[in-house]
Amino acid sequence: MNESLTAALKQLRLSGMSETLDVRLHEAQGNHLTHSEFLELALQDELLVRKERQLARRVKLASFRELKTLEDFDWSFNRSLKKSEVCDLATGRFVREHRDVLLCGPPGTGKSHIVQAVGYQLIKIGYQVLYKSIFDVVRDFLHDEAMEGHERVMSRYLKPDVLIIDDFGMKQLPKRSGEYLFEIVMRRYETRSTVMTTNRPLEDWGKLLGDVPTATAILDRFLHHSEIITITGKSYRLKDRASSSNEAKAPTGSKKSAKGSKPAKAPTGSAAENHE
């Protein structure tokens, strides 16, 4: 590829085409492609590169704690979770209908994995997603309000097609947290979709927010057009801990002892109980 052509592609910001053009030229010559066939292939290379970059940018802006996929989720561990319900969320139907989603269940049952995996899938089909823990949400507002930036931070939470608020119920939240959450829910109501996870019953939300009327107002709007998925069962992470404990206790070469050993119990206040 000559220098003038390279410079022209660079000036037009066609880096995807530039990277594969030599290969496409050899392919066109060897397979006797027409000019239009060659041009179509070169343009497809450019579009593919742009799509991959756009996906990478949107994933970065989403601020996922971890990049999770639905394919990586162990559906066999917890039969209370219907795969069809989660896969339906991943189609984006609830987003198009401006509906909200609430995932309820004990710590460790996969709520954070699911919402991040669904969020990633929604990004791949073109939606803008933002993922935050409830603690990050409150921290953002407390910091920016002190700097007189309330509307600036609020716009950050109103803009995405899908806002995911994770970890509600881990502990009692600071004063005024309910006001911030209520404003987010109220201003996104029937215009954008919000997804939340909680490990506490809805009747405990007033206590967690320290404001029963505000909690009631939040739930009144949030649950109006909401899909609720309830997950029951034991912690997936504690399952792995129990398996490791059993292997450590079992005498070498003794199959009978390994079968008879009891699963390890989760210690009170363990890390698995305090992190979803």
Side-chain angles (χ1 to χ4, degrees):
M1 186 166 55
N2 60 54
E3 292 182 4
S4 60
L5 181 55
T6 301
L9 291 173
K10 184 176 181 180
Q11 186 175 358
L12 292 170
R13 298 182 180 179
L14 298 174
S15 59
M17 186 184 297
S18 178
E19 291 173 2
T20 61
L21 193 56
D22 280 333
V23 175
R24 292 304 187 191
L25 287 169
H26 286 296
E27 183 180 2
Q29 185 178 12
N31 296 323
H32 306 290
L33 300 181
T34 64
H35 293 91
S36 61
E37 289 173 335
F38 163 75
L39 181 59
E40 182 180 359
L41 289 172
L43 290 174
Q44 285 177 354
D45 291 338
E46 179 64 33
L47 291 173
L48 178 61
V49 168
R50 292 191 179 195
K51 184 177 181 180
E52 290 174 347
R53 288 175 179 171
Q54 183 184 56
L55 176 62
R57 284 195 300 270
R58 288 187 172 183
V59 168
K60 184 177 180 179
L61 289 172
S63 300
F64 293 124
R65 185 184 303 163
E66 298 176 89
L67 190 58
K68 298 288 190 179
T69 67
L70 294 177
E71 291 77 15
D72 293 335
F73 190 76
D74 185 357
W75 300 97
S76 64
F77 176 69
N78 196 331
R79 299 294 183 181
S80 72
L81 180 62
K82 295 181 180 179
K83 185 176 181 179
S84 59
E85 291 182 334
V86 177
C87 289
D88 182 63
L89 296 179
T91 67
R93 178 185 60 82
F94 78 99
V95 186
R96 294 188 293 274
E97 297 175 357
H98 304 309
R99 296 176 64 84
D100 299 320
V101 178
L102 178 65
L103 272 74
C104 310
T109 49
K111 300 185 298 299
S112 293
H113 185 136
I114 290 169
V115 294
Q116 289 181 97
V118 168
Y120 178 54
Q121 183 60 36
L122 293 175
I123 288 175
K124 291 201 289 185
I125 60 178
Y127 291 108
Q128 185 176 355
V129 176
L130 177 63
Y131 169 90
K132 293 282 186 177
S133 75
I134 185 63
F135 311 111
D136 290 332
V137 174
V138 174
R139 189 181 301 113
D140 284 349
F141 277 95
L142 288 174
H143 176 267
D144 282 359
E145 187 170 88
M147 303 298 290
E148 299 182 353
H150 180 86
E151 282 303 317
R152 180 166 56 84
V153 70
M154 179 58 69
S155 66
R156 194 185 312 155
Y157 285 94
L158 298 181
K159 184 178 179 180
D161 301 306
V162 182
L163 171 63
I164 301 172
I165 301 178
D166 201 4
D167 298 328
F168 189 88
M170 287 295 178
K171 61 182 179 180
Q172 190 169 4
L173 296 168
K175 187 178 180 181
R176 299 196 64 190
S177 299
E179 297 177 27
Y180 306 137
L181 185 58
F182 173 69
E183 186 173 358
I184 292 172
V185 170
M186 178 186 68
R187 294 175 67 172
R188 292 181 62 86
Y189 176 64
E190 295 185 331
T191 62
R192 296 284 192 275
S193 293
T194 304
V195 179
M196 294 184 67
T197 72
T198 181
N199 58 28
R200 296 286 288 275
L202 300 183
E203 55 266 27
D204 288 353
W205 281 33
K207 184 189 301 182
L208 291 166
L209 292 172
D211 188 338
V212 174
T214 299
T216 302
I218 291 170
L219 291 171
D220 179 63
R221 282 174 172 78
F222 185 71
L223 298 180
H224 184 208
H225 300 301
S226 180
E227 299 184 28
I228 302 176
I229 297 178
T230 302
I231 309 173
T232 59
K234 299 178 181 179
S235 167
Y236 182 80
R237 290 186 293 271
L238 293 184
K239 176 209 71 168
D240 292 336
R241 180 182 295 180
S243 299
S244 299
S245 176
N246 288 341
E247 291 175 2
K249 290 179 180 179
T252 304
S254 174
K255 295 183 179 179
K256 183 176 180 181
S257 297
K259 290 182 179 179
S261 58
K262 296 181 179 180
K265 294 183 178 180
T268 304
S270 65
E273 290 178 329
N274 292 321
H275 296 281
E276 177 57 8

